[in-house]
Amino acid sequence: MKNYLKHDEWCIIEEGFNREFNEITESVCSLGNGRMGQRGNFEETFTGKTLQGNYVAGVYYPDKTRVGWWKNGYPEYFAKVLNAANWIGIKVEIEEEILDLHTAEVSDFKRVLNMKEGYLQRSFIATLASGRQVQINTIRFNSIVDDEAGAISYSITPLNFDGKIVLTPFIDGDIKNKDANYDEKFWDEVHKETAFAEGYVEMVTKKTGFHVITGQKFQIFQNGKAVEFTSFPLKAEKYVASQVALSVKANEATVLVKYACNLSSENHEVASLLPKAKAYLARIEAKGFDKMLEEQAEKWAAKWETNDIVIEGDVAAQQGIRFNIFQMNQTYTGEDARLNIGPKGFTGEKYGGSTYWDTEAYCIPFYLATADQQVARNLLIYRWKQLGKAIENAQKLGFKDGAALYPMVTMNGEECHNEWEITFEEIHRNGAIAYAIYDYVNYTGDEAYLAEYGFEVLLGIARFWSQRVNWSEAKKQYVMLGVTGPNEYENNVNNNWYTSYFAVWCMKYLIEVSEKIKASNPERYNELASLTNLNETDEFDRFNHIIRNMYLGEDKELGIFLQQDGFLDKELIKVSNLSAQERPINQKWSWDRILRSCFIKQADVLQGIYFFEDDFDAETIKRNYDFYEPMTVHESSLSPCVHSIIAAKLGDKARSYEFYQRSARLDLDDYNNDTEDGCHITSMAGTWMSIVKGFGGMRVRNGQVYLAPFVPENWTSFSFKIRFKGNLLNIKTYAHEVLIENISGDDTTIFVHNNAVVLKAKSTVSIEQKSVEAIA
């Protein structure tokens, strides 16, 4: 675990240049606006340890799968969000010496991610080999107002000399992904051109044919005033630049302001890209850097007004949750139903930037409570649009009659994961997609969605489960063989409890939804039955037979659900018995040793209990928590938040807080030694849930909000806001009082510790807070 970033409520601060952690800081200081993203790389030359990263939403490449042994049904490619043209580059030469922080002596270094206003700031003094010293100050942001643009203010001040500097702002499209399977470059050049203080590179992806034009335009100021200058154009393969030579004086600042844009054929006609890029840059240049930065601050203020979480008494916890919320908001805005949320967002290449089950299991609750209802609806429609591909994916594996298997990893609906134990076996992702439909309808009351879109998806999923199980003569029950549950440290197991329980629930929910639609809109139901070739009598009879006769492993003596067959045959050792030198085990142990161990990568049985907690009494939940939690290593980012929520429910405040901190500061402190690959964006929604569903005890039951909040021991208070059916509520919890403000909307009623509380419009209610040991 690292601890080099300063704790601050609104900023991520690196004081002193930590070269050995630079790739980690680049991930943490990433910027995005929903359309494009940029790692926290340096603008000037840097020959040290770095992972260059620029990304354009929706643009991907089908990198040919790299495997040693091909298997039937194996995806032919792994879709990857591409490292796109580097738009931030500014080469700095000081009397023919290149400014490079890897070779220069660096002092007074400070890098600050300002989450309140949405920009990255950096300052340092560099002493070159010649002894010349320069002071650098930079501010950079990806605009969330002009969301296809970014801007940089780069200030250089000579400290001990007069002389000449050469500034060369550039766009470099001659890049490649670090994770390219065959070391291939994914872009071809289409066009490039330069003009005075501007330049453009248009490229097209191989195979997929996405066009992206990246443009730059810049101004130069000295002594606070714009100066006239001559720029010398430079061109190379996929590269344009403008070289400017300037005379400088000691202690006088020269500022280069660079505007850039990324326009994609996803949003514009190919033929219009160049003229639109020129017009875009002319418009934002006329607006000016200061105005753009002011608008950025205003837009972020509006976002924080509705989804900030405020913690009093714990700066580390406060910084952690704001960092998580900040990254969620700059990764996905919900304005484009074609887009989704990659596990690394715009912060790195790992996992390909594709869509996983993380969206449905973790992100949907965050957007339900913090954004307009349409945002979560768009995420569901994204999957509905890919239903045809999900059916095709199932057909490739031998399923039929409209059975749908949603992919573990996808860009366009096709499966593109390249590990067999995930591709073929981690089928629980189907359950998360079905649950997201339930979650959305339960939260919003939008039952019209079920007839419009949801039924078709639920039926395809139920059909898959009904074919994936088989009857066991030995058990006289249905079994689920050869699967991998959420705990990926167990592959090819039989009767994974989580997967089997979800299969049963999905079929139950499909039947329940069918009855609702049939009763409320019989004409639409008949239309859907015809559209999906539904044979209700035969299919529903099979579903019900499986529901009644599904084998779900349980040990009656211990009173626990069995993670899978044979789990109790393992040597059951607690994680506390492992030495720190053996952690994380996925980096220290062989895979064979991991598979034979009892150690759990992430919540598995407990993940199911989290989803379906109302199906179990508190004693059952506690027995399973007490049994499985000590064996969980939490080497998946998705794990600690689930444990935090369950611990809160059981009144285990200390453990709930411990798991929250691990989730909130997973990337800031690099718990799993993998932040250099990018931040864990989708698990950040789980951090939000740790507070709202864990410490806040928020649940939605029967169309009503239920709260059972408590304050962690070292906090003075905490507050969070939720949107619910047209109301915006602020819930602030102290040790002995809960204040609930109905900020906007109509009169409403919520339940606090199961007691009804009437909230008048634009009013605040105070409720005495009792000692809370568990959520009812």
Side-chain angles (χ1 to χ4, degrees):
M1 188 176 84
K2 318 296 188 301
N3 189 25
Y4 69 98
L5 298 173
K6 185 178 178 181
H7 292 179
D8 183 273
E9 292 186 349
W10 277 109
C11 295
I12 309 300
I13 302 170
E14 179 190 26
E15 290 184 336
F17 185 27
N18 296 272
R19 284 181 172 85
E20 71 276 26
F21 300 146
N22 186 53
E23 288 179 313
I24 297 171
T25 318
E26 288 178 341
S27 296
V28 169
C29 291
S30 296
L31 297 172
N33 58 19
R35 292 283 182 199
M36 55 185 272
Q38 164 69 51
R39 282 173 60 84
N41 308 124
F42 299 156
E43 290 86 0
E44 69 277 349
T45 301
F46 183 64
T47 56
K49 189 178 181 183
T50 183
L51 174 60
Q52 189 70 40
N54 300 270
Y55 312 99
V56 179
V59 176
Y60 69 94
Y61 178 80
D63 197 10
K64 187 174 179 357
T65 298
R66 188 169 187 170
V67 292
W69 179 27
W70 195 267
K71 303 174 181 64
N72 287 336
Y74 211 86
E76 295 184 0
Y77 67 90
F78 187 76
K80 292 176 177 175
V81 165
L82 300 188
N83 200 344
N86 175 15
W87 63 268
I88 68 170
I90 302 171
K91 183 180 179 182
V92 179
E93 297 171 89
I94 300 160
E95 297 289 353
E96 300 183 352
E97 288 183 279
I98 295 175
L99 176 60
D100 179 350
L101 268 64
H102 186 56
T103 58
E105 180 184 328
V106 181
S107 60
D108 296 338
F109 182 95
K110 192 172 185 178
R111 183 163 28 181
V112 179
L113 178 66
N114 185 314
M115 300 180 291
K116 189 173 187 178
E117 299 184 358
Y119 63 83
L120 178 62
Q121 189 169 18
R122 187 167 55 102
S123 62
F124 59 89
I125 294 173
T127 303
L128 306 183
S130 64
R132 295 183 182 92
Q133 287 188 326
V134 289
Q135 167 78 50
I136 304 294
N137 292 280
T138 74
I139 297 177
R140 183 172 83 230
F141 60 93
N142 284 26
S143 174
I144 57 173
V145 176
D146 302 295
D147 65 3
E148 293 171 299
I152 304 167
S153 172
Y154 193 94
S155 171
I156 178 168
T157 304
L159 297 181
N160 61 355
F161 69 95
D162 298 340
K164 186 181 79 172
I165 64 170
V166 176
L167 301 178
T168 309
F170 63 84
I171 294 169
D172 184 9
D174 191 23
I175 41 76
K176 65 181 180 182
N177 276 47
K178 180 181 179 181
D179 68 347
N181 283 341
Y182 295 90
D183 206 32
E184 179 185 7
K185 292 183 178 180
F186 300 144
W187 296 93
D188 287 328
E189 181 183 298
V190 176
H191 176 80
K192 62 175 176 277
E193 68 176 61
T194 59
F196 173 72
E198 64 182 310
Y200 304 87
V201 176
E202 181 181 344
M203 299 190 298
V204 62
T205 58
K206 298 175 182 178
K207 297 183 182 180
T208 43
F210 293 104
H211 285 247
V212 175
I213 189 165
T214 304
Q216 70 170 12
K217 200 172 176 68
F218 64 92
Q219 304 163 315
I220 296 177
F221 301 84
Q222 290 183 322
N223 297 319
K225 297 180 180 179
V227 296
E228 294 184 0
F229 58 90
T230 300
S231 68
F232 181 76
L234 299 173
K235 291 183 182 179
E237 183 183 1
K238 305 175 188 172
Y239 176 94
V240 296
S242 294
Q243 190 177 77
V244 181
L246 297 161
S247 294
V248 295
K249 293 182 179 181
N251 300 311
E252 291 185 1
T254 296
V255 180
L256 186 148
V257 175
K258 179 174 179 176
Y259 306 95
C261 67
N262 281 307
L263 271 59
S264 160
S265 58
E266 282 284 87
N267 306 309
H268 306 278
E269 293 292 329
V270 171
S272 72
L273 286 174
L274 181 59
K276 283 191 173 182
K278 290 181 177 180
Y280 203 108
L281 288 178
R283 178 176 61 80
I284 61 174
E285 182 190 41
K287 184 187 293 187
F289 184 88
D290 290 344
K291 180 62 176 176
M292 289 182 71
L293 188 59
E294 179 186 332
E295 291 178 344
Q296 180 86 343
E298 290 172 354
K299 189 73 175 283
W300 271 107
K303 285 181 177 290
W304 288 117
E305 185 64 31
T306 59
N307 59 34
D308 189 18
I309 290 179
V310 180
I311 296 169
E312 295 180 326
D314 189 337
V315 175
Q318 178 68 86
Q319 182 185 49
I321 189 58
R322 282 190 173 135
F323 176 69
N324 284 250
I325 294 170
F326 176 75
Q327 290 291 359
M328 288 293 295
N329 277 317
Q330 66 174 4
T331 299
Y332 181 77
T333 63
E335 295 173 6
D336 190 337
R338 298 171 300 171
L339 301 178
N340 210 281
I341 308 153
K344 294 290 183 180
F346 294 125
T347 71
E349 301 171 9
K350 193 175 181 182
Y351 303 122
S354 304
T355 304
Y356 284 61
W357 68 288
D358 309 20
T359 293
E360 283 75 23
Y362 292 83
C363 300
I364 286 282
F366 172 81
Y367 291 109
L368 279 172
T370 65
D372 184 82
Q373 177 176 318
Q374 189 61 42
V375 173
R377 206 175 204 264
N378 280 347
L379 288 171
L380 299 185
I381 292 172
Y382 176 92
R383 293 291 195 177
W384 173 80
K385 288 181 176 178
Q386 294 181 353
L387 176 59
K389 290 288 187 183
I391 292 172
E392 288 180 18
N393 292 334
Q395 289 172 344
K396 290 176 184 177
L397 300 185
F399 297 88
K400 57 187 179 179
D401 300 330
L405 175 58
Y406 276 90
M408 186 67 179
V409 178
T410 193
M411 277 291 187
N412 63 1
E414 292 179 301
E415 176 64 78
C416 60
H417 200 283
N418 58 6
E419 296 175 22
W420 69 269
E421 67 271 21
I422 307 300
T423 306
F424 302 142
E425 295 190 341
E426 201 163 337
I427 53 179
H428 66 81
R429 70 250 192 178
N430 255 11
I433 289 163
Y435 189 86
I437 295 172
Y438 162 80
D439 206 8
Y440 169 79
V441 173
N442 181 55
Y443 195 96
T444 65
D446 180 15
E447 294 200 347
Y449 180 84
L450 297 171
E452 193 173 358
Y453 300 107
F455 175 85
E456 294 171 79
V457 173
L458 294 170
L459 178 61
I461 289 172
R463 284 169 165 171
F464 171 81
W465 291 126
S466 73
Q467 295 177 41
R468 186 58 174 78
V469 301
N470 65 273
W471 180 259
S472 165
E473 278 297 326
K475 286 184 168 60
K476 302 300 181 185
Q477 287 180 290
Y478 288 98
V479 293
M480 182 94 70
L481 307 179
V483 302
T484 297
N487 172 31
E488 294 170 342
Y489 288 175
E490 299 276 8
N491 302 150
N492 198 32
V493 301
N494 294 334
N495 300 310
N496 172 258
W497 182 87
Y498 173 86
T499 306
S500 297
Y501 198 93
F502 232 134
V504 170
W505 178 86
C506 287
M507 288 181 277
K508 283 181 182 177
Y509 186 52
L510 179 275
I511 293 170
E512 177 187 323
V513 167
S514 299
E515 294 303 318
K516 284 184 178 180
I517 299 173
K518 193 185 298 184
S520 63
N521 193 346
E523 186 177 338
R524 174 59 176 164
Y525 184 79
N526 291 334
E527 182 183 353
L528 287 167
S530 176
L531 183 67
T532 58
N533 296 314
L534 175 64
N535 183 332
E536 183 176 319
T537 301
D538 290 348
E539 292 193 73
F540 281 26
D541 281 352
R542 177 167 173 79
F543 295 160
N544 278 312
H545 195 258
I546 295 169
I547 290 167
R548 291 192 300 270
N549 295 283
M550 188 72 182
Y551 171 71
L552 296 167
E554 186 175 359
D555 186 278
K556 299 289 187 182
E557 184 176 339
L558 293 174
I560 61 164
F561 305 120
L562 290 178
Q563 183 171 269
Q564 72 266 343
D565 288 356
F567 185 81
L568 295 182
D569 293 331
K570 294 174 178 286
E571 185 180 9
L572 303 180
I573 306 171
K574 294 181 179 181
V575 175
S576 58
N577 292 331
L578 286 177
S579 70
Q581 286 70 35
E582 293 187 86
R583 303 282 302 276
I585 63 172
N586 62 19
Q587 297 173 23
K588 303 294 179 66
W589 286 13
S590 70
W591 194 243
D592 169 72
R593 187 180 179 189
I594 289 173
L595 291 176
R596 289 186 288 106
S597 80
C598 69
F599 296 120
I600 300 167
K601 179 184 180 184
Q602 70 187 84
D604 195 308
V605 169
L606 298 185
Q607 181 89 38
I609 288 174
Y610 156 71
F611 279 128
F612 305 112
E613 65 175 11
D614 289 343
D615 293 355
F616 313 106
D617 59 38
E619 290 76 16
T620 299
I621 295 173
K622 187 175 189 306
R623 283 195 303 271
N624 282 275
Y625 172 79
D626 289 344
F627 181 78
Y628 285 110
E629 190 283 316
M631 292 183 285
T632 305
V633 290
H634 300 292
E635 289 173 11
S636 165
S637 66
L638 302 175
S639 186
C641 62
V642 171
H643 282 242
S644 178
I645 294 166
I646 294 176
K649 178 180 177 66
L650 295 173
D652 187 351
K653 297 179 183 179
R655 294 292 275 160
S656 182
Y657 173 77
E658 177 186 332
F659 291 129
Y660 161 76
Q661 281 288 74
R662 178 163 183 152
S663 180
R665 301 196 62 84
L666 180 73
D667 292 312
L668 294 176
D669 295 336
D670 193 26
Y671 268 89
N672 290 340
N673 294 321
D674 60 0
T675 303
E676 64 185 27
D677 297 327
C679 295
H680 299 81
I681 299 299
T682 47
S683 76
M684 291 178 175
T687 304
W688 176 91
M689 290 194 299
S690 295
I691 290 183
V692 175
K693 292 190 173 188
F695 308 150
M698 192 195 88
R699 306 291 190 271
V700 175
R701 300 187 179 103
N702 303 316
Q704 300 284 346
V705 171
Y706 284 73
L707 298 168
F710 70 88
V711 181
E713 293 296 333
N714 56 327
W715 294 5
T716 303
S717 71
F718 74 97
S719 64
F720 61 88
K721 295 184 177 73
I722 58 168
R723 295 173 184 245
F724 186 73
K725 296 183 179 179
N727 289 76
L728 177 62
L729 308 178
N730 184 56
I731 297 97
K732 185 167 187 176
T733 302
Y734 296 90
H736 302 293
E737 182 185 27
V738 181
L739 295 175
I740 303 176
E741 181 184 4
N742 188 356
I743 297 172
S744 63
D746 301 326
D747 296 354
T748 189
T749 299
I750 67 171
F751 291 81
V752 180
H753 300 305
N754 287 328
N755 295 314
V757 177
V758 177
L759 296 172
K760 297 290 185 181
K762 296 182 179 179
S763 68
T764 301
V765 172
S766 173
I767 302 156
E768 182 182 354
Q769 175 80 327
K770 299 176 182 178
S771 176
V772 182
E773 296 303 322
I775 297 172

